[in-house]
Amino acid sequence: NLGATTRDLECVQTPATMANELIDETVDEDDFAKTEQFVGDRLDSYRPYHDVLFAYLQSRDRFSKAVQQDNENSMMQIDGDDSMVGDRDGGSAQAQAAVDEEEMEFLESLASVCLSRGQNISEDISEDGNNWIDASKNEGNFWDLMSALRVGGLSSLFYCVDGQNIPDLTLSNDPSAMVDSAPADVLHACLGGEERKASLPLQRLNAALGWIEACHGRKFEEALNQEYEGNANPLLPPLRRRTMWPGTVAALQQQRRNPSISGAFHPDAPIQFALGSRSSSPVDVASFLKSEDEIDDARLLRACFMLFKAGRVEEAMKLVSDCGQPWRAALWTGGEPLATDGTGNPTRALWKNQARKISKQMSQMVNINASSMVDSTGTRCLYPSLAYEAAIMSLLSDDVDTALRNRVFETWEDGVHAVLCSELGIIVDDVLRSLNSARVEASQESGGHFPYPGTEFDTLDDGSTPQGNDGDLGAALEKLEASPFERIREEGGDPFRNGMTSFLVGQNALKEYIEECAVLSLEAENNDEACFLRFITHLVIYVDTVLPDFCSQLALPSEIDATTDGSIFSLRELLILKYVAYLSSRRDLWSHVALYTSLLSDGNILDTFSSFLTHVHNEGERQMMLKQARDLFPEGLDCYILRNVVRGMIMSDKDDWARESGEEASLPGVSPADARMMRAVYWLCYYPEHRPDALVCANMLLRKFLLSTASGKSDTFEQDLYAPKVFIDKVLPEDLINMAVDQSQKKDEEAISENIDLPLAQNLEAEYLSIEIYLKAHTKYVQFLDALAKTSPCHKSNQLVNCTQYKHDIEIADKMERNAFRQKKMGFCKIMIDYASRASDALMEVLTFAGGWLVDANSNLDNQGSDLEEAEARSEEMKAMRLAYVPRAVFMLHEVLDKTAMWLEQIAFDTLIQFGIASKDMLLTLFFSFEEIPRSNDDLSMDLLITSQAAPGFWHKKALSLASIVANDGNSLHETFDNAEMEKFLKSVADSYIKLQQSISFFDSIGS
């Protein structure tokens, strides 16, 4: 299914890289949500986890495409061509090897991420983060175990999870048939060797032992690094320790000089001195060693014990040799089997029996209830040296019971190593015991001659030999639950260690573990469990990619029904949903949301990502999220998501508005809630194929604005229309309509999203243009009213009064004044006529809009690309807007015409008052200057009263003509008037007729 839910992952930029670029360049980090985060989360970056998963999904996508291509090529081969079978089988093997490699890389990468994270936390914090250090390291060990088990195949990692019986532990060869071979060679041949022919239980045991040794190896290296950094509790003995017990030897040498003490000094002298006689029991060196020698010995053996747990036996032997105790190295080599070249111990079985007895006696001599001793630095960190020596001997002798009673096995990992080491050692002993028995039988048949070294005894079992569990790790690890030490038992209950146990045990334990952890994560109600939620989510995602059938069988929590609201949920789906919800709650993790959302079902992708994007407001982050959605989601689903996002933001309640992280301040004069709705349409403006939907949503928001305004008070009408004007002029792209119509002509049959066809796009274009011309007309209407209020039609002339000059001079002066007065009136008229013409023309364009203003041309057609319910709502909203705005536009136009005429009448009255009978010629000349059709100066007839734009009758006549425009059935304007509005309109028209007649009569009366 991965190929169906991802697309061209190779071309997708890593989310973390994109996030870095956008945060560095476009995002103000001060805008990030100020959320209180716990120590482990604050110091941890989620980015590595997501990048590892992203790389894994990329590789699986490549594999899926390669397999699909191979299958297609195979179908094209000619039937019966058997020569191609071998090639296909080889290709399948290579493909499977590639899958194994990518899975191993995924698990190893997760382990590395967790272990590195734990190391980083330990470097950054000292006290509060100790729990997070342990959790990170334990998680790293968990993924490391999965990687180790995965080497043996999925059957090794998911051991008997389908209810199969545990397979028997079998050997690759029969040791009884190899009597002539050296024991070392027999072990190599029977236990699998390099050819990995061992049975599955033995493979898993070897893998688990190698894993736990690697865990201890990392712990040793960490302790060693701390020593080099000046740790107060050094791991290795000091430089003075290059000989055995220098302080004690010096004291004995001083005593030797005492005459009262005689006898030569020899290696047993300490024993003789301390105990008085030679003892056959192990030596409690603490009883006679100097304190500094005992501390040095304890530190030395502690380091060797750590190396043994890490599987680095040769280094432990070198360390004791360098510290003057080569005899210890010789002692520890007693368990090596005899090899062909003569190396090894021919009496290995006897040595192990003795080592087992010695370890028990040593453990009995150690006070396991005592606390750790204080070293020279005053630090309680060391147990007596005998405790570490007993621990090493118990490991070498496979005596797990003795080991688990020794306090130096203080951690759960120590106990696991002891159990696994013992299990493998017992299997080795069984192989060599079978070989020995076969040799004894062969020697008896030869007459009692023993040609094989180490085959001198009939039996090697005195009743004290440990019994193993034949590779059943579940039974073997039960010993940890019965440990006498509380720490081991408590650590075994840690979720990560519990998971390690479950994978080692396999069977139903694995299923129960995943289900239990999932329930805990789903029920957690605080972010403190986010790290564990991340862990279990990644685990289930991986399980689903390799064993989808097993993953589908994981049970949901008892209170959750698999089917909710018609959607079928799985445990995987629920975990990813909760993890995505957490990522969405932190802005610094937003760059990872798309990747995990892409793993959901299409329905949940749509709902989840739509809900998330409604809170993304930063321009750079929006582009990043949308690009990820287009790259990771099924093709065309991004369009559906954006439709949900934009519609949801447009339909949101203004009362619920609160500024969110990354959201810009609103434009001046626009409410923050309106600004958010406007910017929501930006989501659909980044890619050309989204432009038709951008037009749909732009119209939707414009309708919302205008319908809200229509229901408001009349005195706020101008203010309420400011938001849609800003939306069109400053927010929407200028090429929105052209690109929307162009894109609607392109058909993409492969896309999931529905295309908006050309007829619907043209209908949307008409709707947008209708609203746009209305808003422009309203702007010009407002400008007209403003000019009308600021431009007075009256001014005083400068004509001479009671002048004593000559009559001829007076006439000339009067004529000049009349011309100046007329010119000034002409300037005023030009201003007002210009404003009135623009306003009236714009409003007339609204009323005479082709096809009718806001008439839904597709109301009787199939609304392709649009939800039927939404289409019906749109049609009803357009009808409501026509009912509200068409009468208003008619009344605004009538107001412009009527007020212009009245203003011009004031011009005439002012002229008449100041110039009397001469005003008639002055006004006719004024009217002539504004005549639309040129005529000669001699033709200043009275028809100028209704043809000149400067004449009041011109505007009264236009107001009167509104009756025919409203009555025209082609525009359906009269259908938008209710009875009261129609009555008001008819009265206005009647008033215009009366005013027109009065205007003509006024000019007729001048001079009569």
Side-chain angles (χ1 to χ4, degrees), residues 378-454:
T379 305
R380 284 189 176 274
C381 57
L382 291 171
Y383 291 100
S385 60
L386 194 61
Y388 295 108
E389 187 168 10
I392 293 174
M393 294 303 293
S394 62
L395 290 178
L396 292 174
S397 61
D398 308 322
D399 191 354
V400 65
D401 294 329
T402 299
L404 293 180
R405 289 193 294 269
N406 191 334
R407 187 170 288 277
V408 298
F409 288 88
E410 56 185 356
T411 67
W412 181 83
E413 285 78 11
D414 292 342
V416 170
H417 177 266
V419 170
L420 297 179
C421 186
S422 172
E423 284 295 311
L424 184 60
I426 292 173
I427 294 173
V428 170
D429 286 349
D430 289 342
V431 172
L432 295 181
R433 188 179 296 110
S434 177
L435 173 65
N436 183 72
S437 299
R439 284 182 166 184
V440 169
E441 293 178 3
S443 64
Q444 292 175 349
E445 293 176 358
S446 63
H449 177 63
F450 291 85
Y452 308 109

Side-chain angles (χ1 to χ4, degrees), residues 167-238:
D168 295 332
L169 190 151
T170 58
L171 302 176
S172 302
N173 291 281
D174 183 6
S176 62
M178 304 176 67
V179 293
D180 294 328
S181 300
D185 297 335
V186 172
L187 289 176
H188 183 80
C190 293
L191 300 183
E194 297 178 356
E195 298 180 0
R196 296 181 181 177
K197 294 181 179 179
S199 60
L200 184 57
L202 187 57
Q203 286 185 30
R204 298 184 79 249
L205 177 58
N206 284 320
L209 182 58
W211 159 73
I212 197 64
E213 288 177 347
C215 294
H216 286 294
R218 288 190 291 270
K219 188 175 181 180
F220 178 81
E221 293 297 332
E222 183 179 348
L224 196 61
N225 291 335
Q226 291 177 354
E227 173 165 323
Y228 293 148
E229 295 171 0
N231 186 24
N233 176 25
L235 176 65
L236 301 177

Side-chain angles (χ1 to χ4, degrees), residues 112-158:
S112 176
V113 165
C114 297
L115 294 171
S116 299
R117 174 175 175 263
Q119 182 63 31
N120 293 337
I121 295 177
S122 64
E123 293 175 356
D124 292 340
I125 56 181
S126 56
E127 298 180 359
D128 296 338
N130 288 334
N131 291 336
W132 297 110
I133 296 173
D134 294 340
S136 296
K137 292 180 179 178
N138 291 340
E139 184 181 354
N141 291 338
F142 174 89
W143 293 113
D144 194 33
L145 172 61
M146 291 190 65
S147 175
L149 295 176
R150 180 62 181 84
V151 173
L154 288 176
S155 59
S156 173
L157 177 57
F158 300 97

Side-chain angles (χ1 to χ4, degrees), residues 724-798:
K725 292 176 183 178
V726 171
F727 180 53
I728 290 179
D729 295 338
K730 298 182 179 180
V731 177
L732 291 178
E734 295 181 357
D735 59 349
L736 173 63
I737 295 179
N738 292 335
M739 291 194 65
V741 175
D742 290 343
Q743 287 297 318
S744 67
Q745 295 175 337
K746 298 179 180 180
K747 299 292 185 179
D748 188 358
E749 301 297 339
E750 297 180 359
I752 295 179
S753 63
E754 299 174 352
N755 291 308
I756 297 177
D757 61 13
L758 185 58
L760 179 56
Q762 292 172 339
N763 188 23
L764 294 170
E765 177 186 15
E767 177 188 355
Y768 178 87
L769 293 177
S770 296
I771 298 175
E772 182 182 33
I773 64 172
Y774 188 96
L775 295 175
K776 289 182 178 179
H778 180 266
T779 299
K780 293 176 181 178
Y781 165 76
V782 173
Q783 293 172 349
F784 162 78
L785 294 180
D786 183 65
L788 188 68
K790 295 179 179 179
T791 307
S792 174
C794 302
H795 72 281
K796 189 171 181 60
S797 69
N798 295 322

